[in-house]
Amino acid sequence: MKQRCVSTSTVEAEYIALSTSVKQQLWLQNALNELHIDIPAAALNTDNNGSIDLTNNPRISDKSKRIDIR
């Protein structure tokens, strides 16, 4: 799947990809719950330290301001 926006850094690209993945995962879990299909909770992993740090501490700076607006 292609990103629909342009990112200026690897951290921003990874963070946007994680955000999109979480949205899709939540949609799928909700759809399956409505069909009364129980599935175990899934974990989402990444290996990018910058995006992990940004996820754990969502601070607003010049570099992360565009991510916050999205």
Side-chain angles (χ1 to χ4, degrees):
M1 184 169 142
K2 292 183 180 180
Q3 279 184 204
R4 296 185 178 171
C5 61
V6 176
S7 57
T8 58
S9 68
T10 306
V11 171
E12 186 177 353
E14 290 277 343
Y15 190 80
I16 292 169
L18 282 171
S19 172
T20 303
S21 297
V22 168
K23 289 176 189 177
Q24 291 176 350
Q25 181 180 3
L26 289 174
W27 181 89
L28 183 59
Q29 284 178 340
N30 289 333
L32 291 174
N33 284 338
E34 287 184 16
L35 296 172
H36 303 290
I37 299 173
D38 292 326
I39 59 168
L44 190 63
N45 297 314
T46 184
D47 61 353
N48 185 284
N49 289 331
S51 62
I52 293 170
D53 291 342
L54 190 58
T55 302
N56 291 329
N57 184 16
R59 60 197 175 277
I60 296 176
S61 68
D62 290 339
K63 293 183 180 180
S64 65
K65 187 185 296 184
R66 291 179 355 103
I67 300 171
D68 188 47
I69 291 170
R70 185 180 176 337

